[in-house]
Amino acid sequence: LAATAEATAQAAVEQEGLANSSQQVTQAVSGTSRELGVLINNITTAISGFSDFEKISSNLSKAILAVGVAVSSVKILQFITGEIKASVNAFQEAEDATNRFGIALASLGKFSATAVSDFREFAREIQRTTRFTDEAVTAAGALIAQIGRLSGQELREATEVAAQLAVVLGKDLQVAAFAVAKAATGSTQALQRMFPAIKDITEAGGDFSAVLKTISAQLGGVAQADVLTFSGSVARLKNQWRELLETLGS
């Protein structure tokens, strides 16, 4: 009987311990569930916040894109306005050069619409094969005609020689044209400094035509070859763009 009572008491103790353990497990599970619930709630809040951030980010991107489009539109408008102004200026410069050439011919009593038109076509041909614009060639022709008293074929030859000298010596076309024009009047000092080879010709009594032929023989084709260089090609492209602007400006 004593052994049975002891066994019963021991079983009761074990059952009570099991009950306590079960209660502890239940409490632990309950605590874990609460913590898990808090964690899930925090994650949900974070996701919601991220969603708001995405909305803000999206709206900000749209605003930046709108500003970019506006800035681009202003730049495009500025470019178009600038090119319109450039085209008008190019046309005015071409017209001014033609008018000055006409005045130069009129001062010689050689003016005619045909003479002006023929020289303008000559100037365009020089532009197509050299780095000089047709306006610059026309202005050089006007200077030579005014000072050198030349016209017709002789004027065209003198202008072409001026272009060759300008390329070889790296001079401005107007500077070379002035030296050629002075030589046409018999004052060859400036041209001799640029091209000493003509000194023998002038001292031997050679006329202006002989001077032009000598220079052409030695420099012929130099201005045309110049456009095959990189800088010459760039200059020619600029001339072509300018010619387009001039057409638009008219």
Side-chain angles (χ1 to χ4, degrees), residues 60-74:
L60 182 59
S61 297
K62 291 178 181 178
I64 292 173
L65 179 60
V67 171
V69 170
V71 171
S72 298
S73 299
V74 171

Side-chain angles (χ1 to χ4, degrees), residues 1 16 34 94 115 158 176 204:
L1 290 175
E16 184 179 0
R34 285 195 301 271

